[in-house]
Amino acid sequence: MFLYGLQPATLTCVNTRSTALSRRSEPTVASPATAPPVRDSSAPYADALRVHAGRGWLRLNVPGHAADGPRFGPLSQLLGPAALALDFPPLLDGLDLGPTAPLARAERLAAEAWGARRTWFLTNGASQGNQVASLVAPALGDTLVVQRSVHSSVIDGLVLSGLDTAFVQPSVDAGQGIAHGVDAAGLAEALARCPRPAAAYVVSPSYFGAVADVRALADVAHAAGVPLIVDEAWGAHFGFHPALPENALSQGADLVTSSTHKLGGSLTQSAMLHLGHGPFADRLEPLVDRAFRLVQSTSASALLLASLDLARAQLAGGAEQLGASIDAADRVRRTVRRLGRYRLVSDGFGRFRDIVGADPLRIAVDTRSGGIPGHEARRLLYRDHQIMVEVATDAAVVAVVGAGSLPDTERFVEALHCLPAPLADQGRPERADLRLPSPGPARLSARAAFLRPARLLPAAEAVGRVSADTLAAYPPGIPNVLPGEVVTAEVVDFLQRTAAAPYGHVRGAHDAAVSQLRVVDDDTTEPR
């Protein structure tokens, strides 16, 4: 069977549909959850919003479309009249005003479902939660101890807060060119070097699904007298099924960002911030609440808030659907192993001491082992097969199965094995592998470098100078150079080659090709 016009004269495709995909259970790397979350499937805010929209309002307020579908035809045709009718501003009686309002009840249900003391709904993604966490840290100490492979939004938060940082280097899979996490010993060493640390900031799971030992990291942070902040953007679904890892809150984390829209089922740009029950909760809660108001829009989208309420309700009551999603991802992994062309990135997680589990809904395929770079695989899957994967690197593609979704994963496996290999046979030049570069030394704080006078230089001339910007191959958005770090030739080469790859993008770059970099005009400051 040959799909989408591909002919046997040009390549041979593996007929995976004619080979029954095994449904035998297999052990996963994930750790089982110790206690089930609260299973309340009501959605008070979403239900109240629906009732509110049906009352036949004369809308002489914002938003300006006033739910007038006939006069805003293109918008109504794009989204449907229901979306316009549900698009209300904040601060309305019966929706979000007061501690007994439906929005407050929805946030309390979310806190119960994730095991939090308190939960805030976010309408600017987990990036907003990371900024809140960075803003409260200066009230706790002088230096934030940060995993170097945090998302760029954490660095944005440090630019806003001005807090000094001490970085903990994650383990790196040099062959794959990806960073994983940090272990307890590395975190303890970094905390011991800081005379007055504010908090420890780590990531789990990673973009590739690697799960850190959050319990051990929390124990180390608490022993040092500081809270543990976890960027759990990719783990919003953790803890809602026995085959999934425990969530960070259940393992002692004090503040957790959760990108609910990623795999949890809410609309893009919606997320949550969870406060744990640990020893720092009393001090953190008022700080987080004030910082939240600093960065939350005063026009938070009712559509995004309702989607968070509904996503929580589905996760809390959807263990059977979640199990079907996990089974679908497991079948993909079993089939890829059986066919033998590609390797799975997660099969090598056991080599890294910081990894104690894996997210079963993440399917990271080492495409380079099958003769094709990840960026090229992504391009061909998109162009020839109408398949979108989450991300590509030089070595791999990452596909994700949403919690509760049931996509046609067999189609993905077929298309993956129809990709041409090796590309060198088609006259393409041999190329060196693109490896993750080591960051340059830090000479200024992120805020100091961002605010100082800066100049644009050709990339080659920027080598050895202090960067004024955050530059990150995106996705996953892990910064390769930070404001205040010295630009290295290795980093420049990596970013330029990333930008030149199909669908390559460098967040924060002055130009798409990364031909120029913005550097601090006077970088004579001594190293920190």
Side-chain angles (χ1 to χ4, degrees):
M1 178 178 180
F2 299 94
L3 300 178
Y4 317 117
L6 298 174
Q7 298 299 320
T10 58
L11 57 98
T12 300
C13 295
V14 177
N15 183 355
T16 57
R17 282 192 194 273
S18 63
T19 303
L21 291 175
S22 170
R23 294 180 181 268
R24 294 192 306 273
S25 62
E26 69 168 12
T28 67
V29 194
S31 305
T34 56
V38 175
R39 304 296 187 190
D40 189 325
S41 58
S42 64
Y45 180 78
D47 290 343
L49 183 65
R50 190 180 298 111
V51 170
H52 197 74
R55 288 179 177 163
W57 298 99
L58 172 62
R59 296 175 64 160
L60 303 178
N61 61 342
V62 297
H65 60 68
D68 189 347
R71 289 187 176 274
F72 288 82
L75 185 62
S76 181
Q77 291 165 18
L78 177 66
L79 300 178
L84 272 63
L86 294 167
D87 187 21
F88 284 102
L91 304 180
L92 294 177
D93 287 329
L95 284 180
D96 55 0
L97 281 178
T100 61
L103 179 59
R105 297 203 303 272
E107 290 183 328
R108 284 196 293 271
L109 284 173
E112 293 172 5
W114 271 272
R117 168 168 161 158
R118 184 173 174 186
T119 291
W120 291 262
F121 283 2
L122 310 176
T123 55
N124 197 28
S127 295
Q128 181 185 348
N130 283 332
Q131 291 168 4
V132 169
S134 300
L135 286 170
V136 304
L140 307 174
D142 295 333
T143 305
L144 187 62
V145 178
V146 185
Q147 180 175 324
R148 176 57 180 79
S149 52
V150 290
H151 191 263
S152 58
S153 58
V154 178
I155 308 305
D156 296 342
L158 291 171
V159 170
L160 295 173
S161 72
L163 191 63
D164 284 337
T165 54
F167 288 111
V168 188
Q169 296 302 325
S171 67
V172 174
D173 184 335
Q176 285 291 325
I178 57 176
H180 294 307
V182 298
D183 61 18
L187 181 62
E189 181 181 350
L191 286 166
R193 291 197 302 265
C194 295
R196 192 169 174 267
Y201 213 127
V202 300
V203 179
S204 181
S206 74
Y207 211 100
F208 284 75
V211 178
D213 189 347
V214 175
R215 192 177 303 280
L217 295 171
D219 289 344
V220 163
H222 294 166
V226 299
L228 179 71
I229 304 169
V230 180
D231 182 348
E232 197 177 41
W234 281 99
H237 54 298
F238 282 11
F240 287 95
H241 189 278
L244 292 170
E246 298 177 68
N247 70 32
L249 288 168
S250 69
Q251 299 178 80
D254 298 287
L255 194 61
V256 176
T257 56
S258 177
S259 195
T260 324
H261 74 90
K262 284 184 165 61
L263 291 180
S266 62
L267 291 177
T268 296
Q269 201 171 315
S270 60
M272 299 185 193
L273 180 63
H274 304 296
L275 176 67
H277 291 278
F280 301 93
D282 287 342
R283 187 172 184 194
L284 282 171
E285 184 170 359
L287 292 171
V288 171
D289 203 38
R290 292 166 65 196
F292 166 77
R293 288 195 294 271
L294 282 178
V295 295
Q296 173 75 325
S297 171
T298 55
S299 302
S301 167
L303 296 172
L304 297 184
L305 296 172
S307 78
L308 287 168
D309 194 19
L310 292 169
R312 187 270 314 151
Q314 178 155 334
L315 283 170
E320 184 176 345
Q321 281 185 269
L322 254 174
S325 302
I326 295 167
D327 287 344
D330 283 343
R331 289 196 299 274
V332 172
R333 282 185 287 270
R334 287 197 297 269
T335 305
V336 169
R337 291 185 189 111
R338 186 173 68 247
L339 294 175
R341 174 178 170 183
Y342 300 102
R343 292 193 295 267
L344 296 168
V345 175
S346 57
D347 285 348
F349 281 177
R351 298 184 290 112
F352 300 91
R353 65 181 185 179
D354 58 283
I355 301 177
V356 298
D359 178 5
L361 294 184
R362 208 81 51 88
I363 307 166
V365 180
D366 179 355
T367 59
R368 201 165 54 198
S369 67
I372 183 168
H375 289 298
E376 183 70 3
R378 180 188 186 191
R379 184 180 73 85
L380 295 177
L381 288 169
Y382 187 90
R383 187 194 71 183
D384 297 341
H385 301 279
Q386 292 75 57
I387 293 175
M388 292 186 287
V389 293
E390 172 57 31
V391 69
T393 69
D394 187 57
V397 295
V398 181
V400 297
V401 177
S405 71
L406 199 60
D408 185 357
T409 50
E410 295 180 20
R411 175 177 163 187
F412 170 63
V413 172
E414 282 184 317
L416 194 64
H417 287 81
C418 284
L419 297 177
L423 287 180
D425 289 352
Q426 300 180 30
R428 297 176 184 263
E430 293 290 342
R431 49 189 292 285
D433 293 341
L434 188 56
R435 291 179 173 252
L436 194 68
S438 299
R443 295 182 61 181
L444 293 170
S445 72
R447 182 180 177 86
F450 184 88
L451 294 177
R452 283 199 178 193
R455 69 168 89 170
L456 277 172
L457 291 179
E461 295 180 26
V463 172
R465 306 293 296 267
V466 172
S467 176
D469 290 328
T470 301
L471 301 176
Y474 204 92
I478 296 171
N480 304 107
V481 62
L482 304 177
E485 282 185 348
V486 173
V487 177
T488 68
E490 183 185 16
V491 165
V492 169
D493 177 67
F494 174 83
L495 293 175
Q496 289 183 338
R497 290 175 61 191
T498 296
Y503 300 102
H505 172 68
V506 177
R507 182 182 186 267
H510 176 263
D511 60 276
V514 198
S515 64
Q516 293 180 297
L517 276 73
R518 185 178 288 104
V519 298
V520 173
D521 195 28
D522 179 9
D523 61 357
T524 58
T525 303
E526 292 298 319
R528 294 190 303 171

